[in-house]
Amino acid sequence: MSYDPRQILTQAGQDLAVEEVPLRQIADQFGTPCYVYSAQALRAQYHQLAAALNPLKSRIHYSVKANSNLGILSLFKELGAGFDIVSGGELSRVLAIGGNPRDVIFSGVGKSVAEIDLALKVGVGCFNVESRSELERIQQRAELAQKVAPISVRVNPDIDANTHPYISTGLKDNKFGVDAETALTLYSMAAKTNALSIEGIDCHIGSQIARTEPLLEALNSILNLVDTLSSSGIELQHVNLGGGFGVRYQDEHALDLNAYGAQLHELLGPRQLPLRVEPGRSLTANAGLLLTQVEYLKPGQDDATGFVIVDAAMNDLIRPSLYDAWHDIVVVDGFSADDPVQQLDVVGPICESGDFLAKGRSLQVSEDSLLAVLSAGAYGMCLASNYNSRGRAAEVLVDGANVQCIRRRETVQDQLRLELPEGR
Ligand code: LLP
């Protein structure tokens, strides 16, 4: 694969986002491993989705879990996004960038009392309720705080999103949402109390969904409920379709957003219901990469595949180990035409065989090479850990010729501080 060092990000086989700063310069300045994001690519993804939903009354609530760096959240806030959160921590991040709590949707099956209280105090726009017990808890906490909690019920439509089982959420054996009948019960409970105000209805059937059919099927069953509720006098203010729009990592098809927008329009028919979506991956995945330096080349035993051992590991990017996810790997520099093209596993320094970033790739690489692991802008850094007491990577945002460190590399002191006795 030919590589222009100014192209800091690529979307396999699609348009390349070109920023002005060479990756080698970023590696020299900030060290490796290092996540690099393109502001231009993030904006382009946002505008593409906004344009596809344009004919509809709609609002994009960026799903914070996909990449929760404050620099990324600020960028989406500037673009006019609201936010989808699943914890008090994510709410605090939105507040830290000056986000308006009214633009926040609070999802998740396990909202604690402390999280509900914080959300009520700051006044989030909507709680997406996932069970009867949760509805009762939100009502009690709202009564205690003398507030009115805006709610939406998350419906689990029992639809197969045809994605990895770990990230499928809309099947009846998944822990998320409630069935249609329970949803109707929850709405009638909510209608009877002044502590809750009924705002909308929502669903999210999974992530990395490649085809529009399951998403539309989900909307269809939600619309049936909207109509049933309407006939019993409960008028909803919005329909939230969740996120899950699939992207291209290798040779799969990204979800056709324009087709999706047009089909939504058709399905909604004369209903003037405002739509909400909660995209995470589709906005950030292909706007980020992970830079990593080769440490060693190690031949395989006998005729087994050899290894390129790099300084990034499963603690930095766990998607290949956890979901068997495929990320393109590009050799940025540090090789010559004389270096042979080899079949290699790209592995990190962590002490388990599950620590790999890629398997069996054809690479022309040397021990001086810098590599880029592509499509790493979503569920990369936010899933990073300190396993093997490794500090988490730095994060850098590039905007034209402007390079900004949006999270410094974690030091050993950062890790020890929480465990040493006070004052040491
Ligand atoms: N809304 C809800 C309620 C969600 O649970 C999720 C993702 C989203 C929105 C955003 O979905 P997206 O547009 O990003 O597909 N760690 C996995 C993905 C987990 C997704 C969890 N929920 C991965 O690396 O593939």
Side-chain angles (χ1 to χ4, degrees), residues 288-292 312 317 327-330 346 357 371-376:
L289 55 78
L290 175 62
L291 268 187
T292 180
L317 180 66
H327 287 258
D328 204 357
I329 306 247
V330 173
V346 182
L357 299 174
L371 306 189
V373 185
L374 302 188
S375 312

Side-chain angles (χ1 to χ4, degrees), residues 63 65 84 154 167 204 207 243-244 278-281 319 323 379:
S63 192
K65 64 178 81 64
D84 157 55
R154 177 167 177 182
I167 56 176
H204 169 81
S207 197
E278 303 172 349
R281 187 194 312 269
R319 300 194 72 257
Y323 313 110
Y379 305 110

Side-chain angles (χ1 to χ4, degrees), residues 24 26-28 30-34 291-295 311-312 370-371 393-394 409:
R24 169 50 68 189
I26 294 174
D28 288 346
F30 300 99
T32 53
C34 176
L291 268 187
T292 180
Q293 181 67 44
V294 174
E295 298 280 9
D311 64 1
L370 179 66
L371 306 189
R409 182 175 307 287

Side-chain angles (χ1 to χ4, degrees), residues 61-66 84-86 107-108 128 130 154 164 166-167 169 176 202-204 206-209 240-246 249 277-284 318-319 322-323 325 327 378-380 382-383:
H61 291 258
Y62 169 62
S63 192
V64 172
K65 64 178 81 64
D84 157 55
I85 60 155
V86 288
S107 308
N128 285 354
E130 308 231 13
R154 177 167 177 182
H164 190 285
Y166 289 5
I167 56 176
T169 52
F176 300 97
D202 67 284
C203 72
H204 169 81
S207 197
Q208 185 56 5
I209 300 170
N240 179 345
L241 298 171
F245 316 142
Y249 286 97
V277 287
E278 303 172 349
R281 187 194 312 269
S282 56
L283 297 183
T284 57
I318 202 172
R319 300 194 72 257
L322 189 58
Y323 313 110
H327 287 258
Y379 305 110
C382 56
L383 277 162

